[in-house]
Amino acid sequence: MEIKKNVLIPMRDGVNIAADIYLPVGGGRVPALLALSPYGKELQAQSLTLPPQARPSALWNGAIEAGDIRAVVNHGYAHIIADVRGTGGSEGEMVGNYNSGGHGDGKDIYDIVEWMAEQDWCDGNIGMIGISYFASVQILGAAEKPPHLKALFVNGGHFDLYELCYHGGIMWLMPRASREGRGGDSGNAFKKVSSKSTKVFSTDELQRITKERLDDPDIAHWSDFVHLLHYQDRHELWMDYLLNPLDGPFWQEGHAIDVANQVEIPVYFQAKWGRGWNVEGTIECFKKVKGFKKLDIQPLPPMLERPFHECHDEMFRWYDYWLKGIDNGIVDEPTVQWFVEGSNQWRKEEQWPIKETEYKDFYLRPRHKLSDKPEPLSTQYAHPDGFYQAPLTVTTKSESVKWASDKFLNDVEMTGPGALYINVEIDTEDTNFIAKLYDVDGNGNRVLLTTGYLKASHRELDKERSTVEEPYHPHHRAVPVPRGEVIEYAIRLYPFSNLIKAGHRIELELACNESVDEENAKLLPPDSYHLPSGRATMHKIYRDCDHLSRLILPVVPKELDITSKF
C-alpha cells in the first residue's frame, strides 16, 4: 500500500486536522472510508502489526477501533484515519465528549469528506468506518449532509450521551476507562482538551455543582471521585459525567440521537447483545434515521475483538453495493436480523420487535416465586420480602432477593424490551434498583438475559412517551423518596432475545449494588460496574393483592417459533 503520514486537512475555521492516508498501490481513483476519533491515528496503525485480540487477552485494547487497514486497502478502498481536533496531530481544541461543547465533530467530518472528494486518489464515493466512538460520530457527520458521504456502516455506537454513563440514573463507570486510559483502554490522545462544564457553567455554578456532588453519599464514599472533584483539570471528559448526573440540554443538544432524524443516506447498524451495552441506543437510532437502513444484532460476548475483523465481510458487502455499485443482493435481504440466544439461530424480520409480540405478566409471589397469576392475599398475610444493604465502607457483600418461575413445559422465545414494576418501601431518601433476569437450566446454571436500572430518586415517568411495556424516565430531576412510603417503581429492561427451553426457569434478582468483579462485567472493558449506593438501606418489596409487583416480558407466539420458521 501507499501511505501518506500526517496530512493536514484544513477546516472551515482555519484549524488543520491531521490524518494518515492508506491507498491501494497503482494509483487511480478509488472509493474511500473515513475514520475519526480522539484515540490517536498512531494507535490505529497497530492493526498492521498486532494480530487480532479478543478479550480477555492482555493485548486487547478497546481503543483500536478504526478497522483492519490492510484488509480495507486490499479490498480496493482508501482508508483515512484522522485525529479529532485537539488530539493527536490535529490543531484546535476538543471540548466535551464528542466535541459536543465545541466546534462539533459533525462539522469537521463534513469538511474532511469534501476535501477527500477533491483528491486525485478518491472517486468521490465516501463512507465511514470504525466502531464505538468512530461509529457514534458517523451519525453526527451524516446529519451535516456532506454531498459525497454516500453511506454509513455503524457498529457499536453510543448515540445517547447521558445513557452512555447513567443507566436509569445510576452512574456506570465503564466510560471512565476509555477517557482516562485504564487497564485495556489506551484512552484519548489529548493535546488540548477542555470539559464542556467549564465552558457552559460559571465559576460559581461549578463550585455549587461540585459541592452537591461531594455531598452525595454515593460519591462521598468513593475516594477516587472525591479526589477527582478536587482536582478537576486532570480528566476533563470524565469530569463532565461526574458533574452532570441529570439528563437535559447539557447532554442532549447536538448528540447523535438528537440529530439522527436528519440522516438521509443509507445506514447499516450493528451491535452485539450486551445486557445494557448500547443495544437500546442502537435500536432507537435505527428507528430515527430517514434513509434506507438495516439492523443486525449479534450474539455474545458483547465486546468485539480488535480491530473487529468478524464484521468486515458484511461491511465490505454494504460498501461494495453503495460505493462501488456491485449488486450483491444485500439490499434485498430482510431489514432486521438478530441472533436468538439459547437457540443458536438467527431471526430475519422487517421490523423490531416482531409485530405479533405478546407482553406477558409474571407476578412476584411469596416464597420467592414468579407466577402468571397474581397474589390473592393482602399484605397482612403476604408479608413483604426484603434485604438490607450496608454501604461498601463496612461490607464487600452485595445483598439481593430472588424470585424464580416453575420449569417451563415448552420452549418459549422472548424477544423485545421488557419492564419490572415493583412496589418498594425504603428507610432512606434514595437507593439503587438493579434488576437482573436470568435463564436457569436444570442444573442451576444461570445465563443473564437482560438488566434494568433505576435510581429511586429518578422514578418520575414521562407519561406521554411511556408505554406499559416500555416505561421511559426523563431523568430531569432527582426527587427524594419519602421514607417508609410504599412506592411503585417502573424499571426498563433492556431489549433481549432468548429461547427459554423446556425444563428451564427464569429468575429475577433485585439488588441495590453489584459486585465490582461479577462475571458479566468481566466480558466488558475495565470498570464495567455501577457506582454502589452509599446509604445503609432496608428495602421491603411488597407483592400482594394491593401491590402487584410484576415482570412484563415479550413473548413470541408459538406459531412464530424460531425452530419452526428457519
Side-chain angles (χ1 to χ4, degrees), residues 294-372:
K294 292 178 72 69
L295 173 65
D296 176 14
I297 308 177
Q298 301 178 321
L300 288 171
M303 298 305 295
L304 295 162
E305 52 95 331
R306 294 310 194 252
F308 75 100
H309 294 85
E310 63 261 51
C311 301
H312 278 43
D313 287 346
E314 189 75 348
M315 177 183 68
F316 289 138
R317 289 185 68 221
W318 182 250
Y319 281 136
D320 283 351
Y321 181 88
W322 293 107
L323 304 187
K324 292 184 177 182
I326 299 173
D327 188 359
N328 52 26
I330 193 167
V331 297
D332 301 318
E333 296 167 2
T335 302
V336 184
Q337 69 172 15
W338 64 86
F339 188 79
V340 181
E341 300 283 354
S343 75
N344 294 321
Q345 297 189 65
W346 290 83
R347 266 201 180 274
K348 299 178 186 293
E349 303 285 345
E350 292 303 323
Q351 67 179 58
W352 166 274
I354 300 169
K355 184 172 62 175
E356 294 84 1
T357 300
E358 299 171 353
Y359 289 91
K360 183 176 177 60
D361 289 338
F362 292 84
Y363 295 93
L364 280 58
R365 298 286 297 273
R367 299 186 184 278
H368 302 281
K369 294 289 187 180
L370 288 174
S371 172
D372 59 357

Coordinates of all heavy atoms in Angstrom, one line a residue, residues 294-372:
K294 N -30.6 -0.9 7.7 CA -30.6 -2.2 8.1 C -30.1 -2.3 9.6 O -29.4 -1.4 10.0 CB -29.7 -3.1 7.3 CG -30.2 -3.3 5.8 CD -29.3 -4.1 5.0 CE -29.3 -5.6 5.4 NZ -30.6 -6.2 5.0
L295 N -30.5 -3.3 10.3 CA -30.1 -3.5 11.7 C -29.8 -5.0 11.9 O -30.5 -5.9 11.5 CB -31.3 -3.2 12.6 CG -31.1 -3.5 14.1 CD1 -30.0 -2.6 14.7 CD2 -32.4 -3.2 14.9
D296 N -28.6 -5.2 12.6 CA -28.1 -6.5 12.8 C -27.6 -6.6 14.3 O -26.7 -5.8 14.6 CB -26.9 -6.7 11.8 CG -26.2 -8.1 12.1 OD1 -26.7 -8.9 12.8 OD2 -25.1 -8.2 11.5
I297 N -28.2 -7.4 15.1 CA -27.8 -7.6 16.5 C -27.2 -9.0 16.6 O -27.9 -10.0 16.4 CB -29.0 -7.4 17.4 CG1 -29.7 -6.1 17.2 CG2 -28.5 -7.4 18.9 CD1 -30.9 -5.8 18.0
Q298 N -25.9 -9.0 17.0 CA -25.1 -10.2 17.0 C -25.0 -10.8 18.4 O -25.2 -10.2 19.4 CB -23.7 -9.9 16.4 CG -23.8 -9.3 15.0 CD -22.4 -8.9 14.5 OE1 -21.6 -8.4 15.3 NE2 -22.2 -9.1 13.2
P299 N -24.6 -12.1 18.4 CA -24.5 -12.9 19.7 C -23.4 -12.4 20.6 O -22.5 -11.6 20.2 CB -24.2 -14.3 19.2 CG -23.6 -14.2 17.9 CD -24.2 -13.0 17.2
L300 N -23.5 -12.8 21.8 CA -22.4 -12.6 22.8 C -21.1 -13.2 22.4 O -21.2 -14.2 21.6 CB -22.9 -13.1 24.2 CG -24.0 -12.3 24.9 CD1 -24.4 -13.1 26.1 CD2 -23.5 -10.9 25.3
P301 N -20.0 -12.8 23.0 CA -19.8 -11.8 24.0 C -20.0 -10.4 23.5 O -19.9 -10.2 22.3 CB -18.4 -12.1 24.5 CG -17.7 -12.6 23.3 CD -18.7 -13.4 22.6
P302 N -20.2 -9.5 24.4 CA -20.6 -8.1 24.0 C -19.5 -7.3 23.3 O -19.7 -6.4 22.6 CB -21.0 -7.4 25.3 CG -20.4 -8.2 26.3 CD -20.3 -9.6 25.9
M303 N -18.2 -7.7 23.5 CA -17.1 -6.9 23.0 C -16.5 -7.6 21.8 O -16.2 -8.8 21.9 CB -16.0 -6.7 24.1 CG -16.5 -5.9 25.3 SD -17.2 -4.3 24.8 CE -15.8 -3.5 24.1
L304 N -16.3 -6.9 20.7 CA -15.7 -7.4 19.5 C -14.2 -7.5 19.8 O -13.6 -6.8 20.6 CB -15.9 -6.4 18.4 CG -17.3 -6.2 17.9 CD1 -17.4 -4.9 17.1 CD2 -17.7 -7.4 17.0
E305 N -13.6 -8.4 19.0 CA -12.1 -8.4 19.0 C -11.6 -7.1 18.3 O -12.4 -6.5 17.7 CB -11.5 -9.7 18.3 CG -12.1 -9.9 16.9 CD -11.2 -9.4 15.8 OE1 -10.5 -8.4 16.0 OE2 -11.3 -10.0 14.7
R306 N -10.4 -6.8 18.6 CA -9.9 -5.6 18.0 C -8.9 -6.0 16.9 O -8.0 -6.8 17.1 CB -9.2 -4.7 19.0 CG -10.1 -4.1 20.1 CD -11.3 -3.4 19.4 NE -12.0 -2.6 20.4 CZ -13.2 -2.8 20.9 NH1 -13.8 -4.0 20.6 NH2 -13.9 -2.0 21.6
P307 N -9.0 -5.5 15.7 CA -10.0 -4.4 15.3 C -11.2 -4.9 14.5 O -11.4 -4.5 13.4 CB -9.1 -3.5 14.4 CG -8.2 -4.5 13.7 CD -8.0 -5.6 14.6
F308 N -12.0 -5.7 15.1 CA -13.4 -6.1 14.7 C -13.4 -6.8 13.3 O -14.3 -6.5 12.5 CB -14.4 -5.0 14.8 CG -14.4 -3.9 13.8 CD1 -15.3 -3.9 12.7 CD2 -13.6 -2.8 13.9 CE1 -15.4 -2.8 11.8 CE2 -13.6 -1.7 13.0 CZ -14.5 -1.8 12.0
H309 N -12.5 -7.7 13.0 CA -12.4 -8.4 11.8 C -13.7 -9.2 11.5 O -14.1 -9.3 10.3 CB -11.3 -9.4 11.7 CG -9.9 -8.8 11.8 ND1 -9.3 -8.4 12.9 CD2 -9.1 -8.4 10.8 CE1 -8.1 -7.9 12.7 NE2 -8.0 -7.9 11.4
E310 N -14.4 -9.7 12.5 CA -15.6 -10.5 12.3 C -16.7 -9.8 11.6 O -17.6 -10.4 11.1 CB -16.0 -11.1 13.6 CG -16.5 -10.1 14.7 CD -15.5 -9.8 15.7 OE1 -14.4 -9.5 15.3 OE2 -15.8 -9.9 16.9
C311 N -16.6 -8.4 11.5 CA -17.7 -7.6 10.9 C -17.2 -7.1 9.5 O -18.1 -6.5 8.8 CB -18.1 -6.5 11.8 SG -18.7 -7.0 13.4
H312 N -16.0 -7.3 9.1 CA -15.5 -6.7 7.9 C -16.2 -7.2 6.7 O -16.5 -6.5 5.7 CB -14.0 -6.9 7.8 CG -13.2 -5.9 8.6 ND1 -13.5 -5.5 9.9 CD2 -12.1 -5.2 8.3 CE1 -12.7 -4.6 10.3 NE2 -11.8 -4.4 9.4
D313 N -16.5 -8.5 6.6 CA -17.1 -9.1 5.4 C -18.4 -8.4 5.1 O -18.7 -8.1 3.9 CB -17.2 -10.6 5.5 CG -15.9 -11.3 5.4 OD1 -14.9 -10.7 5.0 OD2 -15.9 -12.5 5.7
E314 N -19.3 -8.3 6.1 CA -20.6 -7.6 5.9 C -20.4 -6.2 5.6 O -21.1 -5.6 4.8 CB -21.4 -7.8 7.2 CG -22.9 -7.4 7.0 CD -23.7 -8.4 6.2 OE1 -23.2 -9.3 5.6 OE2 -24.9 -8.2 6.3
M315 N -19.4 -5.5 6.2 CA -19.2 -4.1 5.9 C -18.8 -3.9 4.4 O -19.3 -3.0 3.8 CB -18.0 -3.6 6.8 CG -17.6 -2.1 6.5 SD -16.2 -1.6 7.6 CE -14.9 -2.7 6.9
F316 N -17.9 -4.8 3.9 CA -17.5 -4.7 2.5 C -18.7 -5.0 1.6 O -18.8 -4.3 0.5 CB -16.3 -5.6 2.3 CG -15.0 -5.2 2.9 CD1 -14.2 -6.2 3.5 CD2 -14.6 -3.9 2.9 CE1 -13.0 -5.8 4.1 CE2 -13.4 -3.5 3.5 CZ -12.6 -4.4 4.1
R317 N -19.5 -5.9 1.9 CA -20.7 -6.1 1.1 C -21.5 -4.9 1.0 O -22.0 -4.5 -0.1 CB -21.6 -7.3 1.7 CG -21.0 -8.7 1.6 CD -22.1 -9.7 2.1 NE -23.2 -9.7 1.2 CZ -24.5 -9.8 1.6 NH1 -24.8 -9.8 2.9 NH2 -25.5 -9.9 0.8
W318 N -21.7 -4.2 2.2 CA -22.5 -3.0 2.2 C -21.9 -1.9 1.4 O -22.6 -1.2 0.5 CB -22.7 -2.5 3.7 CG -23.5 -1.3 3.9 CD1 -23.0 -0.1 4.3 CD2 -24.9 -1.2 3.8 NE1 -24.1 0.8 4.5 CE2 -25.2 0.1 4.2 CE3 -25.9 -2.1 3.5 CZ2 -26.6 0.6 4.2 CZ3 -27.2 -1.6 3.5 CH2 -27.5 -0.3 3.9
Y319 N -20.6 -1.6 1.6 CA -20.0 -0.6 0.8 C -19.7 -0.9 -0.7 O -19.7 0.0 -1.5 CB -18.7 -0.2 1.5 CG -18.9 0.7 2.7 CD1 -18.2 0.5 3.9 CD2 -19.8 1.8 2.7 CE1 -18.4 1.3 5.0 CE2 -20.0 2.6 3.8 CZ -19.3 2.4 4.9 OH -19.5 3.2 6.0
D320 N -19.5 -2.2 -0.9 CA -19.4 -2.6 -2.4 C -20.7 -2.2 -3.1 O -20.6 -1.8 -4.3 CB -19.1 -4.1 -2.5 CG -17.7 -4.5 -2.2 OD1 -16.9 -3.6 -2.0 OD2 -17.4 -5.7 -2.1
Y321 N -21.8 -2.4 -2.5 CA -23.1 -2.0 -3.1 C -23.2 -0.5 -3.3 O -23.5 0.0 -4.4 CB -24.3 -2.6 -2.3 CG -25.6 -2.2 -3.0 CD1 -26.1 -3.1 -4.0 CD2 -26.3 -1.1 -2.7 CE1 -27.3 -2.8 -4.6 CE2 -27.5 -0.8 -3.3 CZ -28.0 -1.6 -4.3 OH -29.2 -1.3 -4.9
W322 N -23.0 0.2 -2.2 CA -23.3 1.7 -2.2 C -22.2 2.5 -2.8 O -22.5 3.6 -3.3 CB -23.7 2.2 -0.8 CG -25.0 1.6 -0.3 CD1 -25.1 0.6 0.7 CD2 -26.3 1.9 -0.7 NE1 -26.5 0.3 0.9 CE2 -27.2 1.1 0.0 CE3 -26.8 2.8 -1.7 CZ2 -28.6 1.2 -0.2 CZ3 -28.2 2.9 -1.9 CH2 -29.1 2.1 -1.1
L323 N -21.0 2.1 -2.6 CA -19.8 2.9 -3.1 C -19.2 2.4 -4.4 O -18.6 3.2 -5.1 CB -18.7 3.0 -2.0 CG -19.1 3.5 -0.6 CD1 -17.9 3.6 0.3 CD2 -19.9 4.8 -0.7
K324 N -19.4 1.1 -4.7 CA -18.8 0.6 -5.9 C -19.9 0.2 -7.0 O -19.6 -0.1 -8.1 CB -18.0 -0.7 -5.6 CG -16.7 -0.3 -4.9 CD -15.8 -1.6 -4.7 CE -14.5 -1.3 -4.0 NZ -13.7 -2.5 -3.9
G325 N -21.2 0.1 -6.5 CA -22.2 -0.2 -7.5 C -22.3 -1.7 -7.8 O -22.9 -2.1 -8.8
I326 N -21.8 -2.6 -6.9 CA -21.8 -4.0 -7.1 C -23.2 -4.6 -6.6 O -23.4 -4.5 -5.4 CB -20.6 -4.7 -6.4 CG1 -19.3 -4.2 -7.0 CG2 -20.7 -6.2 -6.6 CD1 -18.1 -4.7 -6.3
D327 N -23.9 -5.2 -7.4 CA -25.2 -5.7 -7.0 C -25.0 -7.1 -6.4 O -25.1 -8.1 -7.1 CB -26.2 -5.8 -8.2 CG -27.6 -6.1 -7.8 OD1 -27.8 -6.3 -6.5 OD2 -28.5 -6.2 -8.6
N328 N -24.8 -7.1 -5.1 CA -24.6 -8.3 -4.4 C -25.8 -8.9 -3.6 O -25.6 -9.8 -2.8 CB -23.3 -8.2 -3.4 CG -23.5 -7.0 -2.5 OD1 -24.6 -6.5 -2.2 ND2 -22.3 -6.4 -2.1
G329 N -26.9 -8.2 -3.7 CA -28.1 -8.7 -3.1 C -28.3 -8.2 -1.6 O -29.4 -8.5 -1.0
I330 N -27.4 -7.4 -1.1 CA -27.6 -7.1 0.3 C -28.8 -6.2 0.6 O -29.4 -6.3 1.7 CB -26.3 -6.3 0.8 CG1 -26.3 -6.3 2.4 CG2 -26.1 -5.0 0.2 CD1 -24.9 -5.9 3.0
V331 N -29.2 -5.4 -0.3 CA -30.4 -4.5 -0.1 C -31.7 -5.3 -0.3 O -32.8 -4.8 0.1 CB -30.4 -3.3 -1.0 CG1 -29.2 -2.4 -0.8 CG2 -30.5 -3.7 -2.5
D332 N -31.6 -6.5 -0.8 CA -32.8 -7.3 -0.9 C -33.1 -8.2 0.3 O -34.1 -8.9 0.3 CB -32.7 -8.2 -2.2 CG -32.5 -7.3 -3.5 OD1 -33.2 -6.3 -3.6 OD2 -31.7 -7.7 -4.3
E333 N -32.2 -8.3 1.2 CA -32.3 -9.1 2.4 C -33.2 -8.5 3.4 O -33.4 -7.2 3.4 CB -30.9 -9.4 2.9 CG -30.1 -10.2 1.9 CD -28.6 -10.3 2.3 OE1 -28.2 -9.7 3.4 OE2 -27.8 -10.9 1.6
P334 N -33.7 -9.2 4.4 CA -34.6 -8.6 5.4 C -34.0 -7.4 6.1 O -32.7 -7.4 6.3 CB -34.8 -9.8 6.4 CG -34.7 -11.0 5.5 CD -33.6 -10.7 4.5
T335 N -34.8 -6.5 6.5 CA -34.3 -5.2 7.1 C -33.6 -5.5 8.4 O -32.6 -4.8 8.7 CB -35.5 -4.3 7.3 OG1 -36.1 -4.0 6.0 CG2 -35.0 -2.9 7.9
V336 N -34.1 -6.4 9.2 CA -33.6 -6.6 10.6 C -33.2 -8.1 10.7 O -34.0 -8.9 10.3 CB -34.6 -6.2 11.6 CG1 -34.0 -6.3 13.0 CG2 -35.1 -4.7 11.4
Q337 N -32.1 -8.3 11.4 CA -31.8 -9.7 11.8 C -31.1 -9.6 13.2 O -30.4 -8.7 13.5 CB -30.9 -10.4 10.8 CG -29.4 -9.9 10.7 CD -28.5 -10.8 9.9 OE1 -29.0 -11.6 9.1 NE2 -27.2 -10.6 10.0
W338 N -31.4 -10.6 13.9 CA -30.8 -10.7 15.3 C -30.6 -12.2 15.7 O -31.3 -13.1 15.2 CB -31.6 -10.0 16.3 CG -32.9 -10.5 16.6 CD1 -33.3 -11.5 17.5 CD2 -34.2 -10.0 16.0 NE1 -34.6 -11.6 17.5 CE2 -35.2 -10.8 16.6 CE3 -34.5 -9.1 15.1 CZ2 -36.6 -10.6 16.3 CZ3 -35.8 -8.9 14.8 CH2 -36.8 -9.6 15.4
F339 N -29.6 -12.4 16.5 CA -29.3 -13.8 17.0 C -30.2 -14.0 18.2 O -30.2 -13.2 19.2 CB -27.9 -13.9 17.4 CG -27.4 -15.3 17.7 CD1 -27.2 -16.2 16.7 CD2 -27.2 -15.7 19.0 CE1 -26.8 -17.5 17.0 CE2 -26.8 -17.0 19.3 CZ -26.6 -17.9 18.3
V340 N -30.9 -15.1 18.2 CA -31.8 -15.5 19.3 C -30.9 -16.4 20.3 O -30.6 -17.5 19.9 CB -33.0 -16.3 18.9 CG1 -33.9 -16.7 20.1 CG2 -33.8 -15.5 17.9
E341 N -30.5 -15.8 21.4 CA -29.7 -16.5 22.3 C -30.4 -17.8 22.8 O -31.6 -17.8 23.0 CB -29.3 -15.7 23.5 CG -28.5 -14.4 23.2 CD -27.1 -14.7 22.9 OE1 -26.6 -15.8 23.0 OE2 -26.4 -13.7 22.4
G342 N -29.7 -18.8 23.0 CA -30.3 -20.1 23.5 C -30.8 -21.0 22.4 O -31.1 -22.1 22.7
S343 N -30.9 -20.4 21.2 CA -31.4 -21.2 20.1 C -30.3 -21.5 19.0 O -30.4 -22.4 18.2 CB -32.5 -20.5 19.4 OG -32.0 -19.4 18.6
N344 N -29.2 -20.7 19.1 CA -28.2 -20.8 18.1 C -28.7 -20.6 16.7 O -28.2 -21.2 15.7 CB -27.4 -22.1 18.1 CG -26.7 -22.3 19.4 OD1 -26.1 -21.3 19.9 ND2 -26.7 -23.5 20.0
Q345 N -29.7 -19.7 16.5 CA -30.3 -19.4 15.3 C -30.6 -17.9 15.2 O -30.6 -17.2 16.2 CB -31.7 -20.2 15.1 CG -31.5 -21.7 15.1 CD -32.8 -22.4 14.7 OE1 -33.3 -22.2 13.6 NE2 -33.3 -23.1 15.6
W346 N -30.7 -17.5 13.9 CA -31.0 -16.1 13.6 C -32.4 -15.9 13.2 O -33.0 -16.7 12.6 CB -30.1 -15.6 12.4 CG -28.6 -15.5 12.8 CD1 -27.7 -16.5 12.8 CD2 -27.9 -14.3 13.1 NE1 -26.5 -16.1 13.1 CE2 -26.6 -14.7 13.3 CE3 -28.3 -13.0 13.3 CZ2 -25.6 -13.8 13.7 CZ3 -27.3 -12.1 13.7 CH2 -26.0 -12.5 13.9
R347 N -32.9 -14.7 13.6 CA -34.2 -14.3 13.1 C -34.0 -13.2 12.0 O -33.2 -12.3 12.2 CB -35.1 -13.7 14.2 CG -36.0 -14.7 14.8 CD -37.2 -14.0 15.5 NE -38.1 -14.9 16.1 CZ -39.1 -15.5 15.5 NH1 -39.3 -15.3 14.2 NH2 -39.9 -16.4 16.1
K348 N -34.8 -13.2 11.0 CA -34.7 -12.2 9.9 C -36.1 -11.7 9.7 O -37.0 -12.4 9.4 CB -34.2 -12.8 8.6 CG -32.7 -13.4 8.8 CD -32.2 -14.0 7.5 CE -30.9 -14.7 7.7 NZ -29.8 -13.7 7.9
E349 N -36.3 -10.4 10.0 CA -37.6 -9.8 10.0 C -37.6 -8.5 9.3 O -36.5 -8.0 8.9 CB -38.1 -9.6 11.5 CG -38.2 -10.8 12.3 CD -39.3 -11.8 12.0 OE1 -40.3 -11.3 11.2 OE2 -39.3 -12.9 12.4
E350 N -38.7 -7.8 9.2 CA -38.7 -6.5 8.6 C -38.8 -5.4 9.6 O -38.8 -4.2 9.2 CB -39.9 -6.4 7.6 CG -39.7 -7.3 6.3 CD -38.4 -6.9 5.6 OE1 -38.1 -5.7 5.5 OE2 -37.8 -7.9 5.1
Q351 N -39.0 -5.7 10.9 CA -39.0 -4.7 11.9 C -38.6 -5.3 13.2 O -38.5 -6.5 13.4 CB -40.5 -4.1 12.0 CG -41.5 -5.2 12.6 CD -42.9 -4.6 12.7 OE1 -43.4 -4.2 11.7 NE2 -43.4 -4.6 13.9
W352 N -38.3 -4.4 14.2 CA -38.0 -4.7 15.6 C -39.0 -4.0 16.5 O -39.2 -2.8 16.3 CB -36.6 -4.4 15.9 CG -36.4 -4.5 17.4 CD1 -36.6 -3.5 18.3 CD2 -35.9 -5.6 18.2 NE1 -36.4 -3.9 19.6 CE2 -36.0 -5.2 19.6 CE3 -35.5 -6.9 17.9 CZ2 -35.6 -6.1 20.6 CZ3 -35.2 -7.7 18.9 CH2 -35.2 -7.3 20.2
P353 N -39.6 -4.6 17.5 CA -39.6 -6.1 17.7 C -40.6 -6.7 16.7 O -41.3 -6.0 16.0 CB -40.0 -6.3 19.1 CG -40.8 -5.0 19.4 CD -40.2 -3.9 18.6
I354 N -40.8 -8.0 16.8 CA -41.8 -8.7 16.0 C -43.2 -8.1 16.3 O -43.6 -8.0 17.4 CB -41.8 -10.2 16.3 CG1 -40.4 -10.8 16.0 CG2 -42.9 -10.9 15.5 CD1 -40.2 -12.2 16.4
K355 N -44.0 -7.8 15.2 CA -45.3 -7.1 15.4 C -46.2 -7.9 16.3 O -47.0 -7.4 17.0 CB -45.9 -6.9 14.0 CG -47.2 -6.1 14.0 CD -47.6 -5.7 12.6 CE -47.9 -7.0 11.8 NZ -48.5 -6.6 10.4
E356 N -46.1 -9.3 16.2 CA -47.1 -10.1 16.9 C -46.7 -10.4 18.4 O -47.3 -11.2 19.1 CB -47.2 -11.5 16.2 CG -47.8 -11.4 14.8 CD -46.8 -11.0 13.7 OE1 -45.6 -10.8 14.0 OE2 -47.3 -10.9 12.5
T357 N -45.6 -9.7 18.8 CA -45.1 -10.0 20.2 C -46.2 -9.8 21.2 O -47.0 -8.8 21.2 CB -43.9 -9.1 20.5 OG1 -42.9 -9.3 19.6 CG2 -43.4 -9.3 21.9
E358 N -46.3 -10.7 22.2 CA -47.3 -10.6 23.3 C -46.6 -10.3 24.6 O -45.6 -11.0 24.9 CB -48.1 -11.9 23.4 CG -48.9 -12.2 22.1 CD -49.6 -13.6 22.2 OE1 -49.3 -14.3 23.1 OE2 -50.3 -13.9 21.2
Y359 N -47.0 -9.3 25.3 CA -46.3 -9.0 26.6 C -47.1 -9.7 27.7 O -48.3 -9.5 27.9 CB -46.3 -7.5 26.8 CG -45.3 -6.9 25.8 CD1 -45.7 -6.4 24.5 CD2 -43.9 -6.8 26.1 CE1 -44.8 -5.9 23.6 CE2 -43.0 -6.2 25.2 CZ -43.5 -5.8 24.0 OH -42.6 -5.3 23.1
K360 N -46.3 -10.5 28.4 CA -46.9 -11.4 29.4 C -46.5 -11.0 30.8 O -45.3 -10.7 31.0 CB -46.5 -12.9 29.2 CG -47.1 -13.9 30.1 CD -46.7 -15.3 29.7 CE -47.3 -16.3 30.6 NZ -48.7 -16.3 30.7
D361 N -47.4 -11.0 31.8 CA -47.1 -10.7 33.2 C -46.6 -11.9 33.9 O -47.2 -13.0 33.8 CB -48.3 -10.2 33.9 CG -48.8 -8.8 33.4 OD1 -47.9 -8.1 32.8 OD2 -49.9 -8.4 33.5
F362 N -45.5 -11.7 34.7 CA -45.0 -12.7 35.6 C -45.0 -12.0 37.0 O -44.2 -11.1 37.2 CB -43.6 -13.2 35.2 CG -43.6 -14.0 34.0 CD1 -43.5 -13.4 32.7 CD2 -43.6 -15.4 34.0 CE1 -43.5 -14.1 31.6 CE2 -43.6 -16.2 32.9 CZ -43.5 -15.5 31.6
Y363 N -45.9 -12.5 37.9 CA -46.1 -11.8 39.2 C -45.1 -12.3 40.2 O -44.8 -13.5 40.3 CB -47.5 -12.0 39.7 CG -48.5 -11.3 38.8 CD1 -49.2 -12.0 37.8 CD2 -48.9 -10.0 39.0 CE1 -50.1 -11.4 36.9 CE2 -49.8 -9.4 38.1 CZ -50.4 -10.1 37.1 OH -51.4 -9.5 36.3
L364 N -44.6 -11.4 41.0 CA -43.8 -11.8 42.2 C -44.7 -12.3 43.3 O -45.7 -11.6 43.6 CB -43.0 -10.6 42.7 CG -41.7 -10.2 42.0 CD1 -41.9 -9.9 40.5 CD2 -41.0 -9.0 42.7
R365 N -44.4 -13.5 43.8 CA -45.3 -14.1 44.8 C -44.5 -14.5 46.0 O -43.2 -14.5 46.0 CB -45.9 -15.4 44.2 CG -46.8 -15.1 43.0 CD -48.1 -14.5 43.4 NE -48.9 -15.4 44.2 CZ -49.7 -16.3 43.7 NH1 -49.9 -16.5 42.4 NH2 -50.4 -17.1 44.6
P366 N -45.1 -14.8 47.2 CA -44.4 -15.3 48.3 C -43.6 -16.6 48.0 O -43.8 -17.2 47.0 CB -45.6 -15.6 49.3 CG -46.7 -14.7 48.9 CD -46.6 -14.6 47.4
R367 N -42.7 -16.9 48.9 CA -41.8 -18.0 48.8 C -40.9 -17.9 47.5 O -40.5 -18.8 47.0 CB -42.5 -19.3 48.8 CG -43.3 -19.6 50.1 CD -43.9 -20.9 50.1 NE -44.7 -21.1 51.3 CZ -44.3 -21.5 52.5 NH1 -43.0 -21.7 52.7 NH2 -45.1 -21.6 53.5
H368 N -40.6 -16.6 47.2 CA -39.7 -16.3 46.1 C -40.1 -16.9 44.8 O -39.2 -17.4 44.0 CB -38.3 -16.7 46.5 CG -37.8 -16.1 47.8 ND1 -37.4 -14.8 47.8 CD2 -37.8 -16.5 49.1 CE1 -37.1 -14.4 49.1 NE2 -37.3 -15.5 49.8
K369 N -41.4 -16.9 44.5 CA -41.9 -17.5 43.2 C -42.3 -16.4 42.2 O -42.7 -15.3 42.6 CB -43.1 -18.3 43.5 CG -42.9 -19.6 44.4 CD -42.1 -20.6 43.6 CE -42.0 -21.9 44.3 NZ -41.2 -22.9 43.5
L370 N -42.2 -16.7 40.9 CA -42.7 -16.0 39.8 C -43.9 -16.8 39.3 O -43.7 -18.0 39.0 CB -41.7 -15.7 38.7 CG -40.6 -14.7 39.0 CD1 -39.6 -14.7 37.8 CD2 -41.2 -13.3 39.2
S371 N -45.0 -16.1 39.0 CA -46.2 -16.9 38.6 C -47.0 -16.0 37.5 O -46.9 -14.8 37.6 CB -47.1 -17.2 39.8 OG -48.3 -17.7 39.3
D372 N -47.7 -16.7 36.7 CA -48.5 -15.9 35.7 C -49.9 -15.5 36.4 O -50.7 -14.9 35.7 CB -48.8 -16.8 34.5 CG -49.5 -18.1 34.7 OD1 -49.7 -18.4 35.9 OD2 -49.8 -18.8 33.8

